[in-house]
Amino acid sequence: MLNSGLQGDINRFQDIIRNLSMGVNRSGISWRDAQYAELSEKIQRLARSSKEVMQAGERCMEAMRRFDDIASEE
C-alpha cells in the first residue's frame, strides 16, 4: 500500500536523475568548455545527493515494514 507508493516514487526519482545525468553526458560530446565542466560537476553533486535520498527512502520503507510487522502481532 503505502510502501508500494513510496517505492514507486523512489524508482521514478532514480529514473529522473539517471536520465538527467545521461543527457548531460551526451551533451558533453559537443560542449568542451568551462560551462560543461561546471554543469557536469553540479550534476555529480546532485547524483550524490540523490543517492542519499534513495538510501533514506529505503530506510523509511524498512522502518514501515517493521512497524507493520509489530502492528500485526496481536
Side-chain angles (χ1 to χ4, degrees):
M1 286 71 111
L2 183 58
N3 282 348
S4 63
L6 182 57
Q7 183 64 50
D9 289 344
I10 289 171
N11 291 341
R12 279 189 296 280
F13 181 75
Q14 186 176 24
D15 289 342
I16 289 167
I17 297 302
R18 185 179 301 120
N19 290 338
L20 177 62
S21 181
M22 287 176 11
V24 169
N25 286 337
R26 278 193 302 268
S27 70
I29 293 169
S30 59
W31 290 7
R32 296 290 177 205
D33 61 7
Q35 286 180 328
Y36 172 74
E38 181 181 352
L39 180 60
S40 180
E41 190 262 325
K42 287 180 180 181
I43 293 298
Q44 288 174 3
R45 274 193 269 146
L46 177 61
R48 283 191 297 274
S49 296
S50 299
K51 182 178 178 182
E52 293 171 9
V53 169
M54 300 292 295
Q55 291 169 340
E58 289 169 0
R59 286 191 304 270
C60 178
M61 287 183 11
E62 180 58 30
M64 291 167 49
R65 276 192 288 272
R66 284 182 283 169
F67 180 77
D68 286 344
D69 289 346
I70 293 168
S72 66
E73 294 176 358
E74 293 182 62

